[in-house]
């Protein structure tokens, strides 16, 4: 597919949003990057990761506590991804580029690849949200059907039931299968991968080996195979479920759109900002625990419009964007509670499994 092109509007909604958000930062004198609240959160999450890892691997607690710690480790790893890696990769964690790079690099330590993430998430997903054939986030073929433009198989009738199992496997598949697929195929979905430098190759392999040593070899050596396997599966399943649920609630719920470009011209109907609002949803904007933990991924509308602004500012700019949407008659999709968004995701999957 040719790269889709967004429509250009006479009075750009995007320009107006930018103007209002710039005014907010000028008036408050705040920097758009992370602040002390974010750095405190980063320290809490990283310390929790180190302490849990050391306790589990070197001072293995009794089974019940060990399992509980593996569950917690799954949440902590997802939390590092949401709050540190994701902001760092968008360059919004800090005003210092080296700190952003370091934050983005945390993904390599956790088994992923910051190179693949940058291409999959920052370049493809953010630019071409919910466009089938381009956005890799909705490409779970043939296991799931995420848009009516994708082929429908009999098994999709049950996808609103078995998706839990697939989501549980996401983290394990990501670090052991999907990154390597992208690496060797040299593409993400239909998009060719950016050329990798020698340093990119060395970082990819170096961190993959370090991750295998940290998460497989060393714990098998200290705990034995069976204890490691149980612990690793509990940790991996929790991380996978948490990451996929939080990311899926952003774009694949009822009311979000899946626009397709014109076959002949490659043009899309809407300008970029309107496209983002049609394809993206928020959830639980007033839940303080969720706000702290998911790194602004419950304010995906704000994130997709302003990925270079740290998530720590999203609750504040949420009001400005809602106001602008009202004035420009652009629909703003938000679920008041997380359970509403999950129910909507299940209904969405059910519809996609049956719709022609
Ligand atoms: Zn993002």
């Amino acid at each position: 597919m040719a790269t889709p092109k967004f429509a250009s509007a006479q009075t750009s909604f995007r320009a107006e949003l930018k103007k209002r958000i710039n005014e907010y930062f000028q008036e408050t004198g705040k920097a758009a990057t992370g602040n002390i609240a974010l750095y405190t959160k980063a320290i809490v999450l990283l310390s929790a990761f180190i302490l849990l890892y050391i306790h589990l691997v070197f001072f293995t607690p009794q089974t019940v506590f060990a399992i509980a710690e593996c569950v917690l480790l799954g949440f902590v790893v997802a939390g590092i991804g949401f709050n540190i890696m994701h902001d760092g990769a968008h360059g919004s964690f800090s005003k210092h580029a080296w700190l952003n790079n370091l934050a983005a690099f945390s993904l390599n330590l956790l088994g992923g690849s910051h190179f693949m993430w940058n291409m999959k998430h920052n370049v493809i997903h953010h630019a071409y949200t919910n466009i089938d054939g381009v956005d890799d986030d909705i490409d779970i073929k043939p296991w799931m059907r995420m848009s009516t433009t994708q082929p429908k198989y009999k098994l999709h009738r049950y996808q609103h039931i078995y998706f839990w199992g697939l989501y549980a496997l996401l983290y394990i598949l990501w670090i052991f299968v999907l990154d390597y697929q992208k690496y060797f195929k040299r593409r993400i979905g239909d998009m060719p991968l950016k050329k990798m430098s020698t340093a990119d190759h060395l970082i990819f392999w170096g961190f993959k080996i370090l991750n295998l040593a940290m998460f497989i070899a060393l714990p098998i050596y200290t705990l034995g195979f069976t204890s490691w396997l149980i612990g690793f599966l509990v940790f991996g399943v929790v991380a996978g479920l948490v990451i996929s649920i939080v990311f899926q609630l952003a774009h694949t719920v009822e009311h979000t759109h899946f626009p397709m470009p014109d076959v002949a011209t490659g043009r899309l109907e809407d300008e970029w900002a309107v496209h983002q609002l049609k394809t993206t949803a928020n959830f639980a904007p007033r839940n303080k625990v969720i706000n702290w933990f998911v790194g602004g991924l419950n304010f995906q509308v704000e994130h997709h419009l302003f990925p270079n602004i740290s998530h720590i500012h999203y609750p504040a700019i949420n009001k400005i964007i809602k106001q602008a949407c009202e004035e420009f008659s652009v629909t703003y999709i938000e679920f008041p509670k997380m359970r509403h968004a999950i129910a909507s995701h299940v209904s969405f999957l059910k519809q996609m499994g049956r719709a022609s």
Side-chain angles (χ1 to χ4, degrees), residues 86-87 90 117 121-122 125-126 247 297 300 303-304 307 314:
H86 182 231
D87 268 31
H90 278 298
W117 176 261
H121 183 79
N122 293 18
H125 169 69
H126 269 275
F247 272 99
L297 293 170
Q300 285 272 8
H303 176 59
H304 267 259
Y314 291 163

